[in-house]
Amino acid sequence: MTDCIFCRIIAGEIPSDKIYEDDEVVAFLDIAPVNPGHVLVIPKAHYPDLLVLPEQLTVQLVMVAQKIAPAIITGVGAAGFNLTLNNGVVAGQAVGHVHLHLIPRFKDDGRELWSGQPYPAGEAAVVAEKIRKQL
């Protein structure tokens, strides 16, 4: 038995409210939803994060998210949704098994997005160059 809660859900050791399943991907309700209808989309194979997820599975996860998002919106009467992936503990990844969050959004639901701020003069070019050098 594995310690990964998502692997245990896939194996049927822990119950879940599945809404979608195919050969490679499963989607189920988050047990601590941001809003009702919050769904997790995960690969059945264990990959700890996006940086090691094979390209084909990355595409499959997004395709499943795109397929089920309209059903979530209609099913819970949402006005839109956020699609997020927290990569790494510092980014809020609570389970070390890569997963997408589909979070239904409602008008005046009280959920706030990140607040950004512009770069100081000249800093964007410096940061962009640092990133380009790593590609």
Side-chain angles (χ1 to χ4, degrees):
M1 177 168 61
T2 178
D3 287 338
C4 174
I5 191 168
F6 289 172
C7 289
R8 294 180 67 201
I9 287 170
I10 292 163
E13 297 170 10
I14 296 175
S16 68
D17 291 298
K18 290 182 187 172
I19 63 159
Y20 176 88
E21 185 170 9
D22 63 28
D23 291 341
E24 297 177 314
V25 175
V26 64
F28 51 90
L29 292 179
D30 192 308
I31 62 169
V34 171
N35 279 328
H38 179 168
V39 170
L40 303 178
V41 182
I42 70 171
K44 288 184 174 180
H46 182 89
Y47 293 94
D49 62 41
L50 182 65
L51 299 179
V52 295
L53 187 66
E55 184 176 308
Q56 178 274 331
L57 268 177
T58 304
V59 170
Q60 184 69 11
L61 284 182
V62 174
M63 288 175 60
V64 168
Q66 186 177 33
K67 178 177 185 168
I68 66 177
I72 296 167
I73 290 170
T74 302
V76 299
F81 67 93
N82 290 112
L83 175 65
T84 65
L85 185 150
N86 303 331
N87 203 81
V89 174
V90 71
Q93 185 179 1
V95 176
H97 186 124
V98 67
H99 55 286
L100 298 177
H101 292 261
L102 275 164
I103 303 169
R105 296 301 303 268
F106 304 89
K107 184 177 180 184
D108 300 321
D109 64 11
R111 308 294 180 205
E112 294 189 25
L113 298 177
W114 298 310
S115 58
Q117 54 189 334
Y119 283 103
E123 187 177 345
V126 171
V127 171
E129 182 57 23
K130 285 180 182 179
I131 295 169
R132 282 191 295 270
K133 284 182 178 180
Q134 300 304 311
L135 294 176

